[in-house]
């Protein structure tokens, strides 16, 4: 539990075209650092945030699940990520094409292939504790078992590998850095007055 500034309003616009500049699951670490950097986040912030999210839809994190900016929408965590939840086969099946992505452990690639035998909507957990907020996601990257390419790239790039190793070994450090990055993110594109609203249904504008 941690405190964050309260009182954010939802944006009055929610359009698919606003997601055009969001990170993709095919981005490498350098691209992720660049995209997050444009919004004022450090490489450490990006890796910490990548360790939190769920479903195969890209991260809502950079939009603070309040669709108020071009950084909001379905695929924002493809900054890597995910100590919670699952990804659908459609978001990682290209890694299984011939040739199979060499950054994956061979046994893990077979497990992903088995998942995808169930179709594009088949789900794969990001780590072994899909419902727990912990550091197992980072440990999976060390074993070359990152589900998305944008996950595993965090361990393959020297600039982010050290951060992954620190979080894998020190869960308390991950928790603290995540909290600080989330507070920073909560201050993005705050809508005030008539520029925002309190949605009756968070999935659509009033």
């Amino acid at each position: 539990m941690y405190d964050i500034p309260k009182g954010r309003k939802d944006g009055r616009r929610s359009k698919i075209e606003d997601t055009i500049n969001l990170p993709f699951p095919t981005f490498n670490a350098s691209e992720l650092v660049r995209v997050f950097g444009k919004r004022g986040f450090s490489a450490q912030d990006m890796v910490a945030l990548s360790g939190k999210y769920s479903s195969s839809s890209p991260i809502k994190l950079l939009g603070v699940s309040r669709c108020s900016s071009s950084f909001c929408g379905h695929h924002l965590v493809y900054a890597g990520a995910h100590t919670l939840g699952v990804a659908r086969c459609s978001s990682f099946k290209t890694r299984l094409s011939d040739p199979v992505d060499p950054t994956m452990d061979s046994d893990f690639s077979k497990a992903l292939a088995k998942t995808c035998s169930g179709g594009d909507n088949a789900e794969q957990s990001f780590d072994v504790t899909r419902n727990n907020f912990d550091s197992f996601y980072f440990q999976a990257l060390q074993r070359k078992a990152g589900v998305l390419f944008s996950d595993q790239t965090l361990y393959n790039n020297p600039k982010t590998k050290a951060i992954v190793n620190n979080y894998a070994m020190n869960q308390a450090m991950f928790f603290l850095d995540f909290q600080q990055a989330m507070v920073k993110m909560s201050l993005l594109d705050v809508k005030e007055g008539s520029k925002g609203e309190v949605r009756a249904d968070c999935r659509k504008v009033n």
Side-chain angles (χ1 to χ4, degrees), residues 92-107:
F92 59 78
K93 66 180 181 180
T94 55
R95 303 184 72 198
L96 306 173
S97 302
D98 189 21
V100 174
D101 185 346
T103 66
M104 281 192 296
D105 173 78
S106 58
D107 287 338

Side-chain angles (χ1 to χ4, degrees), residues 1-205:
M1 300 293 291
Y2 57 97
D3 294 328
I4 61 172
K6 299 178 177 63
R8 287 186 63 103
K9 289 186 176 181
D10 297 292
R12 300 175 63 87
R13 173 185 171 89
S14 185
K15 302 291 184 180
I16 188 65
E17 56 263 33
D18 291 339
T19 68
I20 190 172
N21 294 318
L22 299 182
F24 291 98
T26 54
F27 274 20
N28 61 37
S30 296
E31 291 172 311
L32 293 171
V33 169
R34 175 181 56 80
V35 171
F36 276 72
K38 287 182 176 180
R39 302 294 291 187
F41 293 93
S42 66
Q44 181 169 297
D45 292 331
M46 183 271 289
V47 176
L49 290 172
S50 80
K52 156 79 170 86
Y53 207 51
S54 55
S55 88
S56 65
S57 322
I59 228 176
K60 292 177 183 174
L61 280 185
L62 282 185
V64 198
S65 76
R66 298 287 189 181
C67 293
S68 58
S69 73
S70 60
F71 233 52
C72 175
H74 276 312
H75 265 68
L76 189 38
V77 191
Y78 278 147
H82 321 95
T83 178
L84 298 173
V86 299
R88 292 191 178 91
C89 175
S90 58
S91 63
F92 59 78
K93 66 180 181 180
T94 55
R95 303 184 72 198
L96 306 173
S97 302
D98 189 21
V100 174
D101 185 346
T103 66
M104 281 192 296
D105 173 78
S106 58
D107 287 338
F108 185 66
S109 66
K110 293 175 183 177
L112 293 186
K114 183 177 180 180
T115 295
C116 283
S117 66
D120 281 358
N121 288 325
E123 297 177 342
Q124 174 70 39
S125 299
F126 286 115
D127 65 32
V128 295
T129 57
R130 60 182 285 177
N131 296 318
N132 294 336
F133 187 75
D134 52 35
S135 62
F136 280 26
Y137 160 75
F138 298 104
Q139 295 172 23
L141 302 187
Q142 292 178 316
R143 299 192 304 273
K144 300 175 67 175
V147 176
L148 306 177
F149 175 81
S150 56
D151 288 330
Q152 194 58 53
T153 187
L154 300 180
Y155 190 69
N156 298 335
N157 186 295
K159 188 170 184 177
T160 52
K161 181 176 183 177
I163 304 171
V164 170
N165 284 334
N166 286 338
Y167 291 161
M169 293 185 296
N170 190 334
Q171 183 168 272
M173 178 187 293
F174 163 50
F175 286 175
L176 177 60
D177 289 350
F178 171 78
Q179 292 172 19
Q180 294 175 340
M182 281 293 290
V183 170
K184 181 186 293 188
M185 188 162 52
S186 75
L187 301 177
L188 283 179
D189 295 331
V190 174
K191 302 299 181 185
E192 297 179 335
S194 61
K195 293 182 179 179
E197 66 183 17
V198 178
R199 293 186 186 174
D201 181 341
C202 67
R203 295 177 179 271
K204 59 184 180 181
V205 296

